[in-house]
Amino acid sequence: MSDFFTSNSMIMLERAANFNWVKQQAILDNIANAETPNYKVKYVTFEEALRAQIRNAVRGTDTEAKAGSMRAVLTAARPSVHVADDESARMDENGVNVSEQSMELVRNAYQVQHVYRAISSDMSRLMLAIRGQ
């Protein structure tokens, strides 16, 4: 039996917040190194790998195995930082497009806001249940 803080939805929200943090760090590194020669752009992936892992877990036939494997998939989910070796349009081999990175920073800020709002909503429901109102 799981409690509120270890439910699949809370684990997923925790993983999403971690992904957004790692993505924010990669974007800020990219922007900070926009003038560094030979710097290669970093990007972070999470959704595609998680989606594939969830599909594989759902394909199981036993209901308990599915629930257990789903928990294992969510618990083991980690963002991956990659380096784009082939993306440079400048003479100094720097692959950073500051406008593109700025847009990604804004998109990530909206994702962070959505995740924190979801966590806040879940916590508000828990507090409502505790108070008994």
Side-chain angles (χ1 to χ4, degrees):
M1 182 173 155
S2 66
D3 61 25
F4 179 79
F5 295 107
T6 60
S7 67
N8 285 351
S9 62
M10 285 304 286
I11 291 171
M12 190 61 221
L13 286 171
E14 176 191 350
R15 296 299 181 244
N18 183 41
F19 161 69
N20 286 323
W21 177 257
V22 172
K23 186 176 178 183
Q24 176 114 357
Q25 288 176 321
I27 293 168
L28 292 174
D29 281 349
N30 291 339
I31 292 172
N33 288 294
E35 298 298 323
T36 304
N38 296 319
Y39 180 81
K40 304 301 181 195
V41 175
K42 295 179 193 174
Y43 64 96
V44 181
T45 59
F46 178 69
E47 293 99 343
E48 298 85 13
L50 179 63
R51 188 176 297 121
Q53 289 175 338
I54 289 174
R55 280 191 193 123
N56 290 338
V58 169
R59 287 185 184 141
T61 55
D62 184 31
T63 308
E64 288 182 10
K66 269 200 294 191
S69 63
M70 185 64 68
R71 173 66 52 96
V73 165
L74 293 177
T75 303
R78 300 278 185 265
S80 300
V81 179
H82 305 279
V83 176
D85 292 329
D86 58 346
E87 293 184 20
S88 64
R90 295 178 11 186
M91 297 281 287
D92 65 356
E93 297 296 319
N94 184 303
V96 178
N97 180 337
V98 177
S99 299
E100 181 181 294
Q101 294 299 309
S102 297
M103 288 300 295
E104 282 299 314
L105 193 61
V106 170
R107 182 192 327 218
N108 195 56
Y110 280 117
Q111 289 175 338
V112 167
Q113 186 179 29
H114 176 71
V115 168
Y116 288 167
R117 190 172 289 148
I119 292 171
S120 176
S121 173
D122 286 353
M123 292 298 149
S124 294
R125 271 186 261 143
L126 178 63
M127 292 300 294
L128 185 66
I130 289 171
R131 285 189 217 124
Q133 297 176 348

